[in-house]
Amino acid sequence: MCSVINFYYLKGYVQLLLDRLGFTFVEKSLVDNRFADAIELLVGEKVMARIGKVSSQLLKSFDIEQDCYYAEIEIEVVHMWNGERILSAFKFPSSSSPQQQFVVKDN
């Protein structure tokens, strides 16, 4: 069975993650050269996540011919707001990057 991956599918997973961590966030439209269409999820003035459809220019530069969607979660900001809950809820491998990036591939 092949499932359809789209913006709303990825957005749902990011929102579920932030909801489970107890965040109440607001969506804001995002203008960013990396994306054709994108939003930010904010708590107060802090950006918690960015979600969007990767721009066709960026896809062309990597010779990718299909639609791609990208989510970026600001782990350091999430930890700053809710450190104890994130540490107990999830066990990520150590990373030197302030962001954990996840790729969802549709086969």
Side-chain angles (χ1 to χ4, degrees):
M1 183 173 100
C2 181
S3 63
V4 176
I5 305 296
N6 61 32
F7 171 81
Y8 298 102
Y9 185 88
L10 185 58
K11 177 183 167 192
Y13 272 107
V14 173
Q15 287 180 328
L16 178 65
L17 173 68
L18 294 177
D19 283 342
R20 294 235 172 143
L21 290 171
F23 289 105
T24 303
F25 49 86
V26 227
E27 287 182 26
K28 181 181 170 188
S29 181
L30 172 64
V31 177
D32 185 319
N33 292 336
R34 299 175 296 172
F35 301 112
D37 294 305
I39 62 168
E40 293 177 315
L41 301 180
L42 299 105
V43 173
E45 297 294 314
K46 298 285 186 183
V47 176
M48 297 301 235
R50 293 173 195 86
I51 309 162
K53 180 179 178 182
V54 177
S55 74
S56 58
Q57 281 184 319
L58 189 57
L59 292 175
K60 278 183 190 175
S61 69
F62 291 98
D63 292 325
I64 299 172
E65 296 178 358
Q66 68 185 39
D67 289 341
C68 290
Y69 302 89
Y70 175 80
E72 178 176 271
I73 299 171
E74 298 289 346
I75 296 296
E76 286 183 350
V77 175
V78 172
H79 185 264
M80 176 184 73
W81 279 77
N82 201 352
E84 293 302 313
R85 290 189 70 193
I86 193 169
L87 289 176
S88 64
F90 300 96
K91 303 285 186 206
F92 290 113
S94 63
S95 171
S96 59
S97 170
Q99 304 163 350
Q100 293 288 334
Q101 298 177 359
F102 302 92
V103 177
V104 178
K105 184 178 179 185
D106 185 17
N107 291 330

